[in-house]
Amino acid sequence: MKYQSLKLSAIALSCSIAVSVQAASTVFINVNVFDGKQDKLLENYQVLVVDNKINQISNGVISAPGAAVIDGKGMTLMPGLIEGHGHLQMNGNSLPDIENNRNWEELAARSAARAQSALMSGFTTWRDAGGMGAGLKKTIDSGELIGPRIYPSGAFIGPTGSHADFRNFTTPNESFYGRNSSGGRLGMSCTADSIGDIKACARQNYMQGATQIKLMSSGGVASSFDPWQLNAYSLEELEAAVEVADAYGSYAMSHAYSKVSLLRNLEAGVKTLEHAFMFDKDVYKAMKKNDAYMTTNMTAFSPYLGQIEAINSNPASARKAKTAQAAFGNYIDNVNKYQPKLGFHVDCVGGVAACEQQSDHSIYLSGKFLGNHYTLLSMTSVNGEIVKLSGEVLDPYYEGKLGVVEEGAYADLLLVDGNPLQDLSVIGANEKWFDAPKRDGIETMKVIMKDGVIYKNTL
């Protein structure tokens, strides 16, 4: 696949990869616009990009002497996609594989490959939900690598035996003996068994460039020691984390499955609930009261779930997955009934090919269960609101909106051949998961622009 830039001023190219973060003027003509919000396309519009922002949107002719012209030929111009809960650094086959078999240089190299794959799949922004600091983000922002804008969370914060505990069974307790696990040493996880330790972990993450913090407040499936029903943190402990986030003008996101954990997090002031599988009317009311969001990995409802290597390679995880799916049966009906502010997330642990397959299948499932428009909102404007919760001080991309086609927003844009409101396959949706063929990009995604720079143009 060729990565092309239409910038009129000088852009350095290395190995066919655009590395500049600046751009001149580009005008898209003959495009139908999905603006990230409305359940309709704005037909036969023109959109002018100047430098890295959307400068003008019009249903008439835009005068832009000297601008590069892209004729969309009736295709759909839409916001770049936003991953609301991903793990670029969590790229081994499973948590035990990451802990035991992958050193820092392999994880770093694989995260760079994952970042490039994400951008070339249309994800121009990525909220990393734990396991990675700001190093990859800074490298991408500097132009050394290509990838999405990244909002990093730093190390997962959780107590001993929680979803953030990557140790082997015989590894000494990290609250007693220090960071003996690979995850702890590499800054992927931070064990915190007291209010003081929770605050220290949060402050450490912010010191190292986190834009928000990630808590593991209930059990999970992919980890070894915690039942998914576990309510790992008390109200007071969650409030301690939120106190630190508030001090930085930021927010806390929290891995939470059970209803007890969901309501407890909302009471503590957590702003985004991750997974939230036991969402119901009571949780919805608390979310409305606290102006909170949630994100959910729709693959939890896929018949393929048990085939994920991160689950089927670990007997404890495989057993938990079966009971979890049985317990979350009301989730889809409740979401369709109450329509919470829902962000899209894939939550893939694995390499490039596996995560491309999981992402495509996640888009398909979300459309199938929740509808195309609601899915597109979750992948664009809603996730755009979520990433901005990091606040003006910590937001690394504070100058414009993300996830919308609006004047003044960042020029993160996709030109796709088809109408995603009618057919999500134009942005990659695939009914198949593990049996889907490996792909090289998405054929119907003709143009990918991030920050005003074009990284793909196959028109």
Side-chain angles (χ1 to χ4, degrees):
M1 178 177 293
K2 295 180 180 179
Y3 310 127
Q4 302 177 5
S5 174
L6 296 184
K7 184 182 174 185
L8 298 179
S9 58
I11 289 182
L13 293 177
S14 175
C15 301
S16 298
I17 294 175
V19 295
S20 174
V21 295
Q22 298 298 316
S25 299
T26 302
V27 60
F28 294 87
I29 65 172
N30 299 326
V31 293
N32 298 325
V33 176
F34 169 63
D35 63 5
K37 294 184 177 180
Q38 299 182 76
D39 191 7
K40 67 177 182 178
L41 300 183
L42 306 176
E43 296 185 356
N44 195 22
Y45 266 62
Q46 296 191 4
V47 176
L48 174 64
V49 171
V50 177
D51 292 325
N52 66 339
K53 304 279 180 46
I54 298 171
N55 180 268
Q56 188 176 351
I57 303 170
S58 176
N59 59 0
V61 176
I62 293 177
S63 177
V69 178
I70 296 179
D71 187 347
K73 301 177 182 178
M75 297 182 190
T76 301
L77 189 72
M78 62 179 289
L81 308 177
I82 301 176
E83 165 63 275
H85 176 127
H87 302 287
L88 291 173
Q89 200 80 50
M90 306 298 292
N91 49 52
N93 296 330
S94 64
L95 298 186
D97 179 51
I98 293 169
E99 174 65 23
N100 298 312
N101 303 325
R102 313 283 180 172
N103 69 357
W104 66 268
E105 60 181 327
E106 184 176 10
L107 292 170
R110 289 167 67 92
S111 71
R114 285 277 311 277
Q116 178 174 312
S117 165
L119 181 60
M120 301 315 295
S121 297
F123 287 91
T124 53
T125 298
W126 186 284
R127 185 176 70 150
D128 206 87
M132 183 180 74
L136 180 61
K137 171 204 167 297
K138 291 192 293 184
T139 307
I140 291 171
D141 288 349
S142 74
E144 295 294 323
L145 294 170
I146 73 164
R149 305 174 187 274
I150 297 176
Y151 285 80
S153 299
F156 301 101
I157 302 173
T160 294
S162 72
H163 198 50
D165 191 341
F166 299 165
R167 293 176 300 142
N168 294 316
F169 186 71
T170 58
T171 305
N173 182 286
E174 296 197 311
S175 287
F176 301 154
Y177 301 104
R179 296 185 178 185
N180 292 291
S181 67
S182 177
R185 292 192 305 272
L186 295 177
M188 300 174 77
S189 61
C190 191
T191 299
D193 284 316
S194 68
I195 285 177
D197 285 346
I198 291 169
K199 290 184 175 182
C201 287
R203 290 166 179 153
Q204 174 74 9
N205 283 341
Y206 281 123
M207 185 273 285
Q208 294 188 325
T211 52
Q212 65 283 325
I213 54 173
K214 168 69 178 297
L215 309 172
M216 296 298 204
S217 64
S218 76
V221 171
S223 44
S224 298
F225 308 123
D226 51 323
W228 64 259
Q229 299 92 337
L230 174 70
N231 299 310
Y233 271 144
S234 67
L235 176 62
E236 293 75 17
E237 289 167 328
L238 294 171
E239 287 174 334
V242 171
E243 179 185 338
V244 175
D246 286 347
Y248 280 84
S250 177
Y251 71 100
M253 57 192 295
S254 186
H255 168 108
Y257 281 16
S258 73
K259 183 174 178 177
V260 169
S261 183
L262 294 171
L263 293 174
R264 185 180 290 173
N265 274 281
L266 291 168
E267 184 179 356
V270 166
K271 280 298 183 181
T272 73
L273 304 171
E274 308 305 309
H275 310 291
F277 292 128
M278 302 200 82
F279 171 82
D280 65 5
K281 181 179 180 180
D282 295 332
V283 176
Y284 173 71
K285 288 182 176 179
M287 287 178 65
K288 288 280 287 185
K289 178 181 178 181
N290 293 280
D291 195 24
Y293 297 75
M294 70 186 206
T295 77
T296 303
N297 46 320
M298 299 307 295
T299 45
F301 307 100
S302 171
Y304 290 94
L305 181 65
Q307 297 181 38
I308 299 178
E309 188 167 356
I311 292 176
N312 67 23
S313 63
N314 185 339
S317 295
R319 184 172 64 252
K320 287 193 289 183
K322 291 181 180 179
T323 63
Q325 274 196 313
F328 304 154
N330 294 324
Y331 171 87
I332 292 169
D333 288 342
N334 284 332
V335 169
N336 282 320
K337 181 176 181 179
Y338 298 110
Q339 298 279 292
K341 292 191 291 185
L342 177 72
F344 176 84
H345 97 233
V346 177
D347 196 28
C348 182
V349 173
V352 168
C355 289
E356 287 176 348
Q357 290 172 321
Q358 186 167 329
S359 178
D360 295 349
H361 189 55
S362 297
I363 298 171
Y364 164 79
L365 289 172
S366 185
K368 175 184 177 181
F369 293 135
L370 305 177
N372 289 6
H373 181 237
Y374 195 59
T375 295
L376 288 167
L377 292 178
S378 73
M379 302 182 77
T380 56
S381 58
V382 175
N383 268 345
E385 293 173 9
I386 288 175
V387 296
K388 290 296 178 178
L389 294 173
S390 58
E392 293 184 2
V393 174
L394 294 189
D395 183 0
Y397 315 109
Y398 61 90
E399 294 180 336
K401 291 183 179 181
L402 294 165
V404 292
V405 181
E406 292 180 8
E407 293 179 1
Y410 280 112
D412 293 3
L413 299 167
L414 307 177
L415 185 65
V416 299
D417 188 5
N419 181 354
L421 288 166
Q422 297 176 354
D423 180 9
L424 289 173
S425 71
V426 301
I427 58 170
N430 196 331
E431 184 176 2
K432 296 182 178 180
W433 187 350
F434 301 100
D435 51 347
K438 293 182 180 180
R439 60 171 174 78
D440 183 13
I442 297 169
E443 185 178 355
T444 48
M445 202 172 281
K446 300 299 185 180
V447 174
I448 298 173
M449 172 182 278
K450 187 197 85 171
D451 210 40
V453 175
I454 293 177
Y455 290 87
K456 176 185 178 182
N457 180 7
T458 57
L459 289 172

